[in-house]
Amino acid sequence: MLVEFTGISRMLTGEMEYQLPLTDGDVMMDVVRAIGRKFPTLVGEVIEKNGETLIPTNLFSVNGKQILNEKQLQYQPKDGDRLILLSLLAGG
């Protein structure tokens, strides 16, 4: 599964995207944990300090079609999904 970083998450990671291996039964909380471990600069800025949930001003878009908020941590992404990490505070 591909995680695409935008805005603040791109600045903090220095990456445009990250290929995250999925295992059977992984849910969004597992995704958040994995990217927090891989990119600790996200913790406290995009990911809550607990390392398990997104700060409420951040969310994921699944394949550009569905928006998941911080309360949908039991959603199971599928192999081949593209998760786009968005920040609602990205200014213009």
Side-chain angles (χ1 to χ4, degrees), residues 22-92:
L22 256 184
T23 57
D24 226 15
D26 278 352
V27 295
M28 290 306 296
M29 187 179 291
D30 299 310
V31 171
V32 173
R33 281 186 197 130
I35 62 173
R37 281 191 305 269
K38 175 71 178 170
F39 303 101
T41 55
L42 293 174
V43 178
E45 298 290 333
V46 174
I47 298 172
E48 293 281 6
K49 291 185 186 218
N50 65 15
E52 297 187 348
T53 55
L54 292 177
I55 292 173
T57 55
N58 299 280
L59 48 82
F60 280 105
S61 169
V62 181
N63 301 318
K65 298 177 182 174
Q66 179 181 2
I67 298 293
L68 301 177
N69 64 39
E70 75 278 1
K71 292 179 176 56
Q72 293 172 295
L73 295 174
Q74 296 309 311
Y75 174 84
Q76 287 186 298
K78 293 155 191 58
D79 195 31
D81 275 351
R82 180 180 197 91
L83 298 176
I84 305 164
L85 183 53
L86 304 167
S87 176
L88 300 177
L89 295 180

Side-chain angles (χ1 to χ4, degrees), residues 5-26:
F5 300 113
T6 64
I8 184 106
S9 63
R10 184 176 291 177
M11 283 179 19
L12 292 169
T13 63
E15 302 286 335
M16 292 182 67
E17 56 191 31
Y18 172 62
Q19 187 68 43
L20 179 66
L22 256 184
T23 57
D24 226 15
D26 278 352

